Amino acid sequence: VSRLFFAAAVALLASVSFRVDATSMAEVLAASKPSDWRPLDPQRTLYLELESGRVIIELAPQFAPNHVANIVALVREGYFDGLGFMRSQDNYVVQWGDADGKRAIRTAKRTLPAEFARSAQDLPFTPLPDPDSYAPQVGYSDGFAAARDSANGTAWLTHCYGTVGAGRDNDADSGGGTELYVVIGHSPRHLDRNVTLVGRVVQGMELLSVLRRGTGASGFYETAQERTPIRAIRVAADLPESELVPLEVLRTDTPEFAAVVEARRNRSEEWFKYKAGRVEVCNVPVAVRRHAN
Amino acid sequence: VSRLFFAAAVALLASVSFRVDATSMAEVLAASKPSDWRPLDPQRTLYLELESGRVIIELAPQFAPNHVANIVALVREGYFDGLGFMRSQDNYVVQWGDADGKRAIRTAKRTLPAEFARSAQDLPFTPLPDPDSYAPQVGYSDGFAAARDSANGTAWLTHCYGTVGAGRDNDADSGGGTELYVVIGHSPRHLDRNVTLVGRVVQGMELLSVLRRGTGASGFYETAQERTPIRAIRVAADLPESELVPLEVLRTDTPEFAAVVEARRNRSEEWFKYKAGRVEVCNVPVAVRRHAN
C-alpha cells in the first residue's frame, strides 16, 4: 500500500527497542524470548515438494486425529507422489489428489467419519475479544485459528488463508484425506464445520497461491497437462535430520501472543491514521520462523 | 472442496427453476430479471491491458470523487501506459505505479486530500444483519461492499478481495492515484479508513492474483525485469463502442440481492451439512455478467 510504510516496518523488525505502549507486531516478535516459540513436531509436519519449491504443512491431530493419521499413512504409502494439483479456483482454493481416480490405496483408508468439530473441553484456547461474523467465539488453539461454541461445548478450526482441508463429496463421511485443498483467497468461513480441516501451510504459500487458475467449472483444469505435478510428499520425521527445516511457531497461549493480538487491533505504525481497535481471527498472523540453530 | 458439489452448483446456474425456500445463489441469479442488473458506466470503467489479458475496474466516484477524477485524468494522459506492477505480496496486494519515480504528470495531480470516508447521508445502503469484526454496520452500496457508523454519520468502502485502493506514504494526503493496489488475499480490513479506496476489479482478477510474489520486503520485486508490464490503461468511454465489454452488475438495493444474501447466509446446496446462518461482508459476491446483447 505504501512502500515507505513497509520499509519502516522492516526496520522495526530489526530493532531491539521495545516500547510498552503502542508496540508493533514486529517489535513484539523482535523482543520475544526463545520460550515463546515451539518447534514443529516432525511427526505431524509434511513436506510437499513441487518443481517450484517446498511447501510445509503443520497438521492438527488435536482437531482431526483420524484424518491426520490417515493422511500420514497415505503419505507413507507414497500415495500422493506423482499426482498433481488439478484445481485452482480464484479467491477460493487449490486442490490436489488423484484426479484420474486410478491410484490404489494399500493400508490407508479412502474415507473416514467426518471430524468437523471436537469437544471444547480441555482444549487450550486464547479467545479474541472482538465480534466474529460466523462464530460465537473465535481465537487460537496451539497455533491454529479456531472457534468454539459454549452452547454445545464444541470447537473447530476456522477456514483462513493457508488452512488445509479434506475435500469430500456430498456425504459428510465421504472425505478421508485423499484429496486435500488449501485456502488461497478470502476466508470461506461458511465451510467451517462442513469440512474436516487438518492443518495449515506454514511455509511456501506463495508457491500455491500463484498456480494458474483453472478454466473449467470451479477452477478445475480442463486438461491433465495443466496440472502442477507433486514430486513427493514426505513426513518430516522420515527424513534425515540434516534435511529438516527447523521451523518454530509462536505460542498462542502467552503474554507475547496477547501483545501480538493487541498490536494488530491497534496498529502503532505511524502510517496508520485510524486504529481499528478490533481484529478478525484470520488477520492475526501466527508467526513462523526458522530456528536460529 | 468437492468436485461433485461444484458440478451441482454449475448445473443449477443453468436451471430455470426457482424455489421460494432454500434457494441457492445460482438459482436466484438464474431467476433474476434484466432490471435487477445495471450496466457499467463507461465513464467510470477502466480497462487495464496486460500481456496476459484484460482487467476491468469499476471506479466508485460516490466514495472518492476527487481521486476517481484524478485517476481518470492520469489514464487520459497515458500516465500508466508502459509502467508495471512492481509489487506482489502474498495474501495482501499487488501494486502498480511509477516504480522508478521518473514519469512526469501533465494535467493531473500527484497528491490529493484523503477521501477515507464520506457522509452516510443520502447514500444507498443495504445493511447485512450479521456482526462484523471491524465496523458497527456493513452492507452494500451501489454494488460495492461498504460500512457505516451511525455515531458519526460516515460511510466508507471496505477492503475485500479485488478492491482497488490508492497507495500513499505516511502522510494521509500523500496519495492521489498515481500508485494503485488491488487486494489479492484475505480482506485487510484494518486498512479501512486508512486508504482512499477507489473501486473494484469486476473482471480479470485471476490475472492479477497469480503474479509471482516479489522477494523483496513487502513483496516488492528486487529487479525491474520481474515487473509485469502494463500495456495501457484506458477509460472505457474513450474506446469505440465495438471494443466495449458489455458487463452488468447485480443491483444491491433489490429483493433479488436480498435473496442472494440469504442464499449465502444459509446455503441450500445439498453439500452443506451445517448452515452458517450468517455471512461476512466480503463473502457475498456482487455478481457481474456479460450482458446478453
Side-chain angles (χ1 to χ4, degrees):
Chain A
V1 180
S2 148
R3 52 171 74 196
L4 229 64
F5 161 56
F6 286 106
V10 170
L12 287 173
L13 188 59
S15 158
V16 293
S17 69
F18 188 90
R19 288 174 290 161
V20 174
D21 298 322
T23 306
S24 75
M25 182 173 77
E27 290 171 303
V28 174
L29 296 181
S32 66
K33 305 176 295 299
S35 61
D36 294 327
W37 302 76
R38 64 164 171 79
L40 287 191
D41 176 356
Q43 293 289 349
R44 56 164 171 142
T45 302
L46 301 182
Y47 290 1
L48 188 165
E49 309 290 350
L50 303 175
E51 280 165 31
S52 58
R54 174 179 282 167
V55 176
I56 300 182
I57 294 168
E58 181 177 26
L59 297 168
Q62 63 275 47
F63 282 91
N66 298 326
H67 278 70
V68 165
N70 199 49
I71 291 165
V72 166
L74 287 164
V75 166
R76 287 187 164 144
E77 278 191 17
Y79 176 81
F80 296 107
D81 302 350
L83 295 179
F85 282 80
M86 72 283 212
R87 181 185 186 191
S88 174
Q89 185 174 3
D90 199 53
N91 192 21
Y92 202 46
V93 299
V94 292
Q95 190 163 336
W96 74 92
D98 182 14
D100 301 320
K102 292 183 175 170
R103 184 149 297 202
I105 296 179
R106 294 204 299 273
T107 60
K109 292 187 168 60
R110 185 165 295 279
T111 64
L112 283 174
E115 295 175 293
F116 295 162
R118 54 154 282 166
S119 166
Q121 207 176 350
D122 301 327
L123 182 74
F125 198 91
T126 304
L128 276 186
D130 305 310
D132 182 74
S133 293
Y134 288 94
Q137 191 173 57
V138 289
Y140 304 89
S141 181
D142 196 23
F144 292 92
R148 66 182 183 183
D149 185 354
S150 62
N152 62 15
T154 61
W156 57 93
L157 292 177
T158 56
H159 280 80
C160 292
Y161 191 85
T163 301
V164 183
R168 66 166 171 86
D169 293 331
N170 274 357
D171 189 278
D173 300 336
S174 60
T178 58
E179 220 172 285
L180 293 164
Y181 67 90
V182 179
V183 174
I184 59 160
H186 183 69
S187 56
R189 293 281 310 282
H190 53 287
L191 299 179
D192 290 1
R193 287 183 276 185
N194 278 296
V195 183
T196 300
L197 293 179
V198 300
R200 72 166 181 133
V201 173
V202 291
Q203 184 182 298
M205 264 308 290
E206 71 282 4
L207 305 179
L208 300 181
S209 55
V210 299
L211 294 184
R212 200 169 56 78
R213 306 316 186 215
T215 50
S218 305
F220 281 93
Y221 295 119
E222 298 186 82
T223 63
Q225 288 69 36
E226 295 171 278
R227 296 176 195 152
T228 299
I230 293 171
R231 286 183 172 168
I233 306 186
R234 295 286 175 261
V235 180
D238 298 347
L239 295 175
E241 196 161 334
S242 63
E243 290 183 30
L244 294 186
V245 183
L247 296 184
E248 52 186 15
V249 177
L250 189 69
R251 295 179 191 277
T252 50
D253 58 352
T254 61
E256 283 69 22
F257 184 72
V260 165
V261 169
E262 205 44 44
R264 297 294 280 197
R265 297 178 78 238
N266 290 292
R267 305 283 286 237
S268 66
E269 297 90 340
E270 186 192 350
W271 186 87
F272 282 89
K273 305 309 172 191
Y274 176 83
K275 296 181 199 307
R278 299 176 173 195
V279 77
E280 189 263 344
V281 66
C282 295
N283 264 334
V284 178
V286 179
V288 178
R289 70 177 186 186
R290 225 182 147 95
H291 188 275
N293 298 330
Chain B
V1 179
S2 147
R3 53 170 75 195
L4 230 64
F5 161 58
F6 286 107
V10 170
L12 287 173
L13 188 59
S15 158
V16 293
S17 70
F18 188 90
R19 289 174 290 163
V20 173
D21 297 322
T23 306
S24 74
M25 182 174 76
E27 291 171 304
V28 174
L29 296 181
S32 66
K33 304 177 295 297
S35 60
D36 294 328
W37 302 77
R38 63 164 171 79
L40 288 190
D41 176 356
Q43 294 288 350
R44 56 165 170 142
T45 301
L46 301 182
Y47 290 2
L48 188 164
E49 309 291 350
L50 304 175
E51 281 166 31
S52 58
R54 174 179 282 168
V55 177
I56 300 182
I57 295 167
E58 181 178 24
L59 297 168
Q62 62 275 49
F63 283 90
N66 298 326
H67 278 70
V68 165
N70 199 50
I71 290 165
V72 166
L74 287 163
V75 165
R76 287 185 164 145
E77 279 191 18
Y79 176 81
F80 296 108
D81 303 350
L83 295 180
F85 283 80
M86 73 283 213
R87 180 186 185 192
S88 174
Q89 183 174 6
D90 199 53
N91 193 20
Y92 203 47
V93 298
V94 293
Q95 190 164 335
W96 73 91
D98 182 14
D100 301 321
K102 291 183 175 169
R103 185 150 298 204
I105 295 180
R106 294 205 298 274
T107 60
K109 293 189 166 58
R110 183 166 296 280
T111 63
L112 284 173
E115 296 174 292
F116 295 161
R118 54 154 282 167
S119 166
Q121 206 176 351
D122 301 326
L123 181 74
F125 198 90
T126 303
L128 276 186
D130 305 309
D132 182 74
S133 293
Y134 289 94
Q137 191 174 57
V138 288
Y140 304 89
S141 182
D142 195 24
F144 292 93
R148 64 182 184 183
D149 185 354
S150 62
N152 61 17
T154 62
W156 57 94
L157 292 177
T158 56
H159 280 80
C160 292
Y161 191 86
T163 301
V164 183
R168 65 166 172 85
D169 292 330
N170 274 357
D171 190 276
D173 300 336
S174 59
T178 58
E179 218 172 287
L180 293 163
Y181 67 90
V182 179
V183 173
I184 59 160
H186 183 68
S187 56
R189 295 281 309 281
H190 53 286
L191 299 179
D192 290 0
R193 287 183 274 186
N194 278 296
V195 182
T196 300
L197 293 180
V198 299
R200 71 165 180 135
V201 173
V202 290
Q203 182 181 299
M205 263 308 291
E206 72 281 5
L207 305 179
L208 301 181
S209 55
V210 299
L211 295 185
R212 199 168 58 76
R213 306 316 187 214
T215 49
S218 304
F220 282 92
Y221 295 118
E222 298 184 82
T223 64
Q225 288 69 35
E226 295 171 277
R227 296 176 197 152
T228 298
I230 293 171
R231 285 183 173 170
I233 306 186
R234 295 285 174 263
V235 180
D238 297 349
L239 295 175
E241 195 161 335
S242 62
E243 290 183 31
L244 294 187
V245 184
L247 296 184
E248 52 185 15
V249 178
L250 189 68
R251 295 180 191 276
T252 50
D253 58 352
T254 62
E256 284 67 23
F257 185 71
V260 165
V261 169
E262 204 46 43
R264 297 294 281 197
R265 297 178 78 239
N266 290 292
R267 305 284 286 237
S268 66
E269 298 91 339
E270 187 194 347
W271 185 87
F272 282 89
K273 306 308 172 189
Y274 176 83
K275 296 183 199 308
R278 299 176 174 193
V279 76
E280 188 262 344
V281 67
C282 295
N283 264 333
V284 177
V286 179
V288 179
R289 69 178 186 186
R290 224 181 148 95
H291 189 276
N293 301 329

